[in-house]
Amino acid sequence: MKKVCLVIGAGAGIGGSVGKKFALEGYHAALCRRSDAEGLNTLVEGIEKLGGSASGHLVNAVKEGAIESLVEEVEKIGPIDVVLFNLGAQIGNRSLDDTALKTFELGWQMACFGLFRLAKVLFPLMEARGGGTVLVTSATAAVRGNAGQHSHAAAMGGRRMLCQTLNAEYASRGIHIAHILIDGAVDAPDTLGKMLGPEMYAELRKTRGMEHDGLLLPEKMAETYFHVSQQHRSAWTHELDLRAFSDLAWWNHAP
Amino acid sequence: MKKVCLVIGAGAGIGGSVGKKFALEGYHAALCRRSDAEGLNTLVEGIEKLGGSASGHLVNAVKEGAIESLVEEVEKIGPIDVVLFNLGAQIGNRSLDDTALKTFELGWQMACFGLFRLAKVLFPLMEARGGGTVLVTSATAAVRGNAGQHSHAAAMGGRRMLCQTLNAEYASRGIHIAHILIDGAVDAPDTLGKMLGPEMYAELRKTRGMEHDGLLLPEKMAETYFHVSQQHRSAWTHELDLRAFSDLAWWNHAP
Amino acid sequence: MKKVCLVIGAGAGIGGSVGKKFALEGYHAALCRRSDAEGLNTLVEGIEKLGGSASGHLVNAVKEGAIESLVEEVEKIGPIDVVLFNLGAQIGNRSLDDTALKTFELGWQMACFGLFRLAKVLFPLMEARGGGTVLVTSATAAVRGNAGQHSHAAAMGGRRMLCQTLNAEYASRGIHIAHILIDGAVDAPDTLGKMLGPEMYAELRKTRGMEHDGLLLPEKMAETYFHVSQQHRSAWTHELDLRAFSDLAWWNHAP
Amino acid sequence: MKKVCLVIGAGAGIGGSVGKKFALEGYHAALCRRSDAEGLNTLVEGIEKLGGSASGHLVNAVKEGAIESLVEEVEKIGPIDVVLFNLGAQIGNRSLDDTALKTFELGWQMACFGLFRLAKVLFPLMEARGGGTVLVTSATAAVRGNAGQHSHAAAMGGRRMLCQTLNAEYASRGIHIAHILIDGAVDAPDTLGKMLGPEMYAELRKTRGMEHDGLLLPEKMAETYFHVSQQHRSAWTHELDLRAFSDLAWWNHAP
């Protein structure tokens, strides 16, 4: 029985690419997303064509009991050894007036409460098996709050602290939690592409994506996600950043 | 009509002391807490005996519409010029197993969502009057997550980012948001006293509170809260820490 | 005999304004700068005209023994109770190629080594008298390194850590060290004015200094410097930021 | 001609292990340390026995011109593609009184000025070749200053900012600078072993080094150092931490 890498938030960007990487390295990739069964099938079939093992799971993570059921379902395929928690709460910039209470709450439910619920149900299983890895895709909104990011930043900032409290309680018990700060635009048709529309997206890839790597390329990011999951327990990384060489770090301003 | 300082979370520690300070400086102190009408009356009467103006408001801040109604009610007394948001989510150390979903959610509702709701309803009023000040009592859980602090740290970490997004949107429109990191034990009978019980509390005050100031003294903290609220807008502080001289900073370990 | 506030780096901006504030509050202000005896006299006479006590001291702080002699000299006037360490290492943006080894070393000597030397000679005196306060004017270069800031950022970043090690060793022995992050342009003719030239400076004051307070105003900053020095030891601030209400925080980017 | 990995600070711990890793991956490892020709030979011969290519260089890095000559000398072997800057300034805990001016300066010269000098001489060469990688071994002293760490923390804190200014100027020109925060005790006979003495070191390895991995194991750390150097430029890591699973993160205190 293969070890399982569960991807919560498996679009055509980071989620799909990391799932594929783990599948090619011998894991079963359980790919989970909220909607678009067709897109999910495409990901699964793409992996299977390359000789990997994968399954697709449509789940609305914020629904009560949904994450809990997902873990139960996937554990029947095999033991979940790695989870990529890839849910975000980025909804673009919205003023305080334009951010409804429901929106703010939903951001927290997805990005922060979702990870807490996952840990509650999964960590006992992982601990009983001697350990596991949780890779959390984060954003600079977890470390600084820009204008218009009320919902996103509050959710991500809370989640970063949660990653630290989980790490403080579970690292010594074998569970490796890595908080991965993505600092820049990812070349992802499902998110960035949809946000910008096809024309602006194509334009951005041409200009910012100088020689195709001025944007963060998901398949390259996946290399580091995988490396972190394989680190020996004497030398674990809890936090790291990823950005394109041509991009300014979030803490920098142009001179 | 006096300017109002609204204290959300007015116990006998920081909240009560800051309220009293503002009352003695000429504000009306609107003191709000969830329960203990008697304790609240004691605070109000204490202020009135000193010649200050105060009112008490029993409010369960997490109830739908409660913060919104509170603002409406207090605005009838006078324009809210300063708010002390003093709600925390500290429930002591609890393992992941012992932290229920409801507990985690409640922490977020009080410490993080509560501030968002307050800003939604109050900032338009403040902006229309040319500005205002929001003082937020925070904790080191907002910047690092210790073991057993899942609920507290996730709520405080989210709120810290929210303070930054609010500041980014509203500072230039006249609203001063200050995030005050309390790093240490506060000499507060309502919280620390209840947590420890009367004997241990007395003992702690004797030992740690060397010459009575090895614990953070609320009436001394109130001096800085007040100063920050009076800073000229050309030189505002957004974040500062407060700790007793005899205490180790959170980032330090004993040599 | 009056208590002394020693200002190391007393120009017409922060240094002069803080010195004046302390003088008006009853301290003797010992104002020290490297050059411009005339400007220094102007500051001293300005304070004396207002009824305050002040003295001027021309010192090249990086010269061997200079800080040590200065402390000895000033202690003859009265016990140094507060020091404002106001030396920076800002030389504008310079590429790596254009930053000479000597320049990099000089930045460190002024901003970082200078504080270490001061602490070595002054802290034993302060401790013997039961305590004292060191206010350190810092910059965002202490917490993030922008392009072209090699010398400045390395010096300030090192100094910030030094402030923490000094605090860890000396806070419990009565010495209050406060690291004050200035995040924005200060309305200071001696530094900003000289850097920009009279025309651009006048222009900036008119545009950025909206209604005269879009730049950090030194006399307003001085209020907070003074407040921090007077905090009760049960509630000391070690780090705080100061910026104009209309300015973007360093961690923010325009939406 | 093989690409060269230059290790500045090549002892039997991180430096030697990273050098060996790069040599086994096809680089020439140029190992540089201040003293102990015999130990250096052992490292070189150990690599050669495994079929790798290596050379030893005895250099006192703080001597004027030393780093500059080293780069010139090593470039004759082959183009320096990767540098591990592994010089630290840890001298154990020393009070302010016990930290001489010379000691403080020496720490800065090694850990901070050394990297600046290296960048000045090496970056033009790397840039002309299209890029390169600089891996910097850092410590938690770069982000918080503990008591007794005056020299160490000031040097490391300055260097962290320098890494950011170098990154801001050179990342887009192809030079990848990675700041690697080592948070814990490394199982290194040359440093930890000498500091503790043979008996305490053996004892620590037995107790803290639970099943041999409660200490950071250099050969495992080397895997991550190497991975970072091979990251695709669309997804570079600038900062990451490394600690043993059983260790408390620096920001945590035991509950």
Side-chain angles (χ1 to χ4, degrees):
Chain A
M1 194 186 270
K2 286 186 170 197
K3 287 191 289 190
V4 171
C5 170
L6 168 61
V7 177
I8 302 181
I14 297 174
S17 297
V18 171
K20 182 173 150 191
K21 170 70 183 173
F22 275 88
L24 297 183
E25 296 282 352
Y27 289 73
H28 172 87
L31 305 178
C32 159
R33 61 199 281 177
R34 195 182 47 164
S35 57
D36 186 6
E38 201 181 339
L40 188 55
N41 273 343
T42 306
L43 285 176
V44 169
E45 288 170 13
I47 288 172
E48 288 173 341
K49 261 182 212 154
L50 295 165
S53 169
S55 54
H57 310 260
L58 285 180
V59 174
N60 180 358
V62 300
K63 250 185 71 184
E64 203 182 320
I67 287 179
E68 295 75 2
S69 302
L70 173 68
V71 167
E72 195 181 352
E73 180 183 319
V74 172
E75 282 276 330
K76 287 177 191 157
I77 304 175
I80 300 173
D81 189 57
V82 177
V83 180
L84 169 57
F85 192 85
N86 200 43
L87 299 179
Q90 180 59 280
I91 49 169
N93 287 325
R94 296 195 191 182
S95 70
L96 184 63
D97 273 358
D98 289 342
T99 311
L101 296 186
K102 267 291 157 217
T103 305
F104 190 84
E105 187 177 7
L106 187 61
W108 170 81
Q109 281 179 329
M110 281 177 55
C112 186
F113 195 43
L115 178 62
F116 181 70
R117 288 165 55 201
L118 175 72
K120 291 273 291 178
V121 64
L122 182 59
F123 280 19
L125 304 179
M126 280 185 163
E127 192 186 1
R129 292 192 287 255
T133 302
V134 182
L135 306 166
V136 179
T137 299
S138 186
T140 60
V143 286
R144 62 85 191 262
N146 272 341
Q149 295 280 300
H150 305 295
S151 162
H152 187 219
M156 298 307 250
R159 189 172 73 183
R160 181 167 177 258
M161 287 302 103
L162 176 60
C163 285
Q164 292 191 3
T165 60
L166 291 172
N167 178 68
E169 189 171 329
Y170 278 93
S172 63
R173 291 147 81 174
I175 300 179
H176 180 187
I177 295 133
H179 186 255
I180 306 174
L181 273 167
I182 308 305
D183 184 11
V186 178
D187 187 23
D190 276 13
T191 49
L192 189 64
K194 278 179 188 159
M195 207 185 300
L196 297 176
E199 274 178 49
M200 276 186 63
Y201 182 50
E203 180 64 20
L204 181 74
R205 293 187 76 181
K206 216 160 60 184
T207 53
R208 267 289 291 291
M210 303 180 294
E211 304 172 39
H212 307 303
D213 50 16
L215 298 176
L216 284 146
L217 301 180
E219 66 269 34
K220 304 301 185 185
M221 301 166 78
E223 298 292 326
T224 292
Y225 277 73
F226 184 73
H227 173 76
V228 168
S229 78
Q230 305 298 310
Q231 287 179 316
H232 187 264
R233 69 180 193 167
S234 78
W236 276 354
T237 293
H238 177 69
E239 189 162 74
L240 71 162
D241 52 3
L242 287 177
R243 76 179 55 77
F245 79 106
S246 54
D247 218 346
L248 219 50
W250 68 264
W251 59 78
N252 285 137
H253 289 239
Chain B
M1 193 185 271
K2 287 187 167 194
K3 287 192 290 188
V4 172
C5 170
L6 168 60
V7 177
I8 302 182
I14 297 173
S17 297
V18 171
K20 183 174 149 192
K21 170 71 183 172
F22 275 87
L24 297 183
E25 297 281 352
Y27 288 75
H28 172 87
L31 305 179
C32 159
R33 61 198 281 176
R34 197 182 45 164
S35 57
D36 185 7
E38 202 183 337
L40 188 55
N41 274 343
T42 306
L43 286 176
V44 169
E45 288 170 13
I47 288 172
E48 288 173 340
K49 262 184 211 154
L50 294 165
S53 170
S55 54
H57 309 261
L58 284 180
V59 174
N60 179 0
V62 301
K63 249 187 71 184
E64 202 181 321
I67 287 179
E68 296 75 3
S69 303
L70 174 68
V71 167
E72 196 181 350
E73 181 183 319
V74 173
E75 283 275 330
K76 286 175 192 156
I77 304 176
I80 300 173
D81 189 56
V82 177
V83 181
L84 168 57
F85 192 85
N86 200 41
L87 299 180
Q90 181 58 280
I91 48 167
N93 288 325
R94 296 197 192 180
S95 70
L96 184 63
D97 273 358
D98 289 342
T99 310
L101 297 186
K102 267 291 158 215
T103 305
F104 190 84
E105 188 178 8
L106 187 61
W108 170 80
Q109 280 179 329
M110 282 178 54
C112 186
F113 194 45
L115 178 61
F116 180 71
R117 287 166 55 203
L118 175 72
K120 291 274 292 177
V121 65
L122 182 59
F123 281 18
L125 305 178
M126 281 185 163
E127 192 184 4
R129 293 192 286 258
T133 303
V134 182
L135 306 167
V136 179
T137 299
S138 186
T140 59
V143 286
R144 61 88 189 259
N146 271 341
Q149 294 280 301
H150 304 296
S151 162
H152 187 220
M156 299 306 251
R159 190 172 74 184
R160 181 167 178 258
M161 287 303 102
L162 176 60
C163 286
Q164 292 191 0
T165 61
L166 291 173
N167 177 69
E169 189 170 329
Y170 279 93
S172 64
R173 291 148 80 175
I175 300 180
H176 181 186
I177 295 132
H179 186 256
I180 307 175
L181 273 166
I182 309 306
D183 184 12
V186 179
D187 187 22
D190 277 14
T191 48
L192 189 64
K194 279 181 188 158
M195 207 186 297
L196 297 176
E199 274 178 48
M200 276 185 65
Y201 182 49
E203 179 65 19
L204 181 74
R205 292 186 78 181
K206 218 161 56 184
T207 52
R208 265 289 289 290
M210 305 179 292
E211 305 170 38
H212 308 303
D213 51 14
L215 298 176
L216 284 146
L217 302 179
E219 68 268 35
K220 304 302 184 183
M221 302 167 77
E223 298 293 324
T224 293
Y225 278 73
F226 184 72
H227 172 78
V228 168
S229 78
Q230 306 299 310
Q231 287 178 317
H232 186 264
R233 69 178 192 168
S234 79
W236 277 353
T237 293
H238 177 69
E239 189 162 73
L240 72 160
D241 53 4
L242 286 178
R243 75 179 56 77
F245 79 107
S246 55
D247 218 348
L248 217 53
W250 68 263
W251 58 78
N252 284 138
H253 290 238
Chain C
M1 191 187 271
K2 286 187 168 195
K3 286 192 290 187
V4 172
C5 170
L6 168 61
V7 177
I8 302 182
I14 296 173
S17 297
V18 172
K20 184 174 149 191
K21 170 71 182 171
F22 275 87
L24 297 182
E25 297 281 351
Y27 289 74
H28 172 86
L31 305 177
C32 159
R33 61 199 281 179
R34 197 182 47 164
S35 57
D36 185 5
E38 203 182 336
L40 188 55
N41 273 343
T42 306
L43 286 175
V44 169
E45 288 170 13
I47 288 171
E48 288 173 341
K49 260 182 212 154
L50 295 165
S53 170
S55 54
H57 308 261
L58 285 179
V59 173
N60 181 357
V62 301
K63 248 185 74 184
E64 202 181 320
I67 287 179
E68 295 76 2
S69 302
L70 173 68
V71 167
E72 196 181 350
E73 181 183 320
V74 172
E75 282 277 329
K76 286 176 191 158
I77 303 174
I80 301 172
D81 188 57
V82 177
V83 180
L84 169 57
F85 191 85
N86 201 42
L87 299 179
Q90 181 57 279
I91 49 168
N93 287 326
R94 295 195 191 181
S95 70
L96 184 63
D97 272 359
D98 289 342
T99 310
L101 297 185
K102 266 291 157 216
T103 304
F104 189 85
E105 188 179 6
L106 187 61
W108 170 79
Q109 280 179 329
M110 280 178 55
C112 185
F113 194 44
L115 178 61
F116 180 71
R117 287 166 56 202
L118 176 71
K120 292 273 292 177
V121 65
L122 182 59
F123 281 18
L125 304 179
M126 281 185 163
E127 191 185 3
R129 291 193 288 258
T133 302
V134 182
L135 306 165
V136 179
T137 300
S138 187
T140 59
V143 286
R144 62 87 189 262
N146 271 341
Q149 294 280 300
H150 305 296
S151 161
H152 187 220
M156 299 307 251
R159 190 171 73 185
R160 182 168 177 258
M161 286 302 102
L162 176 60
C163 286
Q164 292 192 0
T165 60
L166 291 173
N167 177 70
E169 189 171 329
Y170 279 93
S172 63
R173 291 148 81 175
I175 301 180
H176 181 185
I177 295 133
H179 186 255
I180 307 174
L181 272 167
I182 309 306
D183 185 12
V186 179
D187 188 23
D190 277 14
T191 48
L192 189 64
K194 279 180 187 158
M195 208 186 297
L196 297 176
E199 276 179 46
M200 276 185 63
Y201 182 51
E203 179 65 20
L204 181 74
R205 293 187 76 181
K206 218 162 57 187
T207 52
R208 267 286 292 289
M210 303 181 294
E211 303 172 40
H212 308 303
D213 51 15
L215 298 176
L216 285 146
L217 302 180
E219 66 268 36
K220 305 301 186 184
M221 302 166 79
E223 297 293 326
T224 292
Y225 278 73
F226 183 73
H227 173 77
V228 168
S229 79
Q230 305 299 309
Q231 287 178 317
H232 186 265
R233 69 179 192 169
S234 80
W236 276 354
T237 293
H238 177 69
E239 190 162 74
L240 71 162
D241 52 4
L242 286 177
R243 73 178 58 75
F245 80 107
S246 55
D247 218 348
L248 217 53
W250 68 263
W251 57 79
N252 285 137
H253 289 239
Chain D
M1 192 187 271
K2 285 186 168 195
K3 286 193 289 188
V4 172
C5 170
L6 168 60
V7 177
I8 302 182
I14 297 173
S17 297
V18 171
K20 184 174 147 189
K21 170 71 183 174
F22 276 87
L24 298 184
E25 297 281 351
Y27 288 74
H28 173 85
L31 306 179
C32 159
R33 62 199 281 178
R34 196 182 48 163
S35 57
D36 185 6
E38 203 182 336
L40 188 55
N41 273 344
T42 305
L43 286 176
V44 170
E45 288 170 13
I47 288 172
E48 288 174 339
K49 260 183 212 154
L50 295 166
S53 169
S55 54
H57 310 260
L58 284 180
V59 174
N60 180 359
V62 300
K63 250 184 73 185
E64 201 182 321
I67 287 179
E68 295 76 3
S69 301
L70 173 68
V71 167
E72 195 181 352
E73 182 184 318
V74 172
E75 283 275 330
K76 286 176 191 157
I77 303 175
I80 299 173
D81 188 58
V82 177
V83 179
L84 168 58
F85 192 84
N86 200 42
L87 298 179
Q90 181 58 280
I91 49 167
N93 288 326
R94 297 196 192 181
S95 70
L96 184 62
D97 273 358
D98 289 341
T99 311
L101 297 185
K102 268 289 158 218
T103 305
F104 190 85
E105 187 178 8
L106 187 60
W108 170 79
Q109 281 180 327
M110 280 177 55
C112 186
F113 194 44
L115 178 62
F116 180 71
R117 288 164 57 202
L118 175 71
K120 292 273 291 179
V121 64
L122 182 59
F123 281 19
L125 304 179
M126 280 184 164
E127 192 185 2
R129 290 192 289 255
T133 302
V134 181
L135 306 166
V136 179
T137 299
S138 187
T140 59
V143 285
R144 62 88 189 260
N146 272 340
Q149 295 280 300
H150 304 295
S151 161
H152 187 220
M156 299 307 252
R159 189 171 74 184
R160 180 165 177 260
M161 287 302 102
L162 176 60
C163 285
Q164 292 191 1
T165 60
L166 291 173
N167 178 69
E169 188 171 330
Y170 280 94
S172 63
R173 291 147 81 175
I175 300 180
H176 180 187
I177 295 133
H179 186 256
I180 306 174
L181 273 166
I182 309 306
D183 184 12
V186 179
D187 187 24
D190 277 14
T191 49
L192 190 64
K194 278 180 188 159
M195 208 186 298
L196 297 176
E199 274 177 49
M200 278 186 62
Y201 182 50
E203 180 63 20
L204 181 74
R205 294 187 75 180
K206 217 159 58 182
T207 54
R208 268 287 291 290
M210 305 179 293
E211 305 172 39
H212 306 304
D213 50 16
L215 298 176
L216 284 146
L217 302 180
E219 66 268 36
K220 305 301 184 183
M221 303 167 77
E223 298 293 325
T224 292
Y225 277 73
F226 184 73
H227 173 77
V228 168
S229 78
Q230 305 298 309
Q231 286 178 316
H232 187 262
R233 69 179 192 168
S234 79
W236 276 354
T237 293
H238 178 67
E239 190 162 74
L240 72 161
D241 53 3
L242 286 177
R243 76 179 54 77
F245 79 107
S246 55
D247 218 348
L248 218 52
W250 68 264
W251 58 78
N252 286 136
H253 288 239

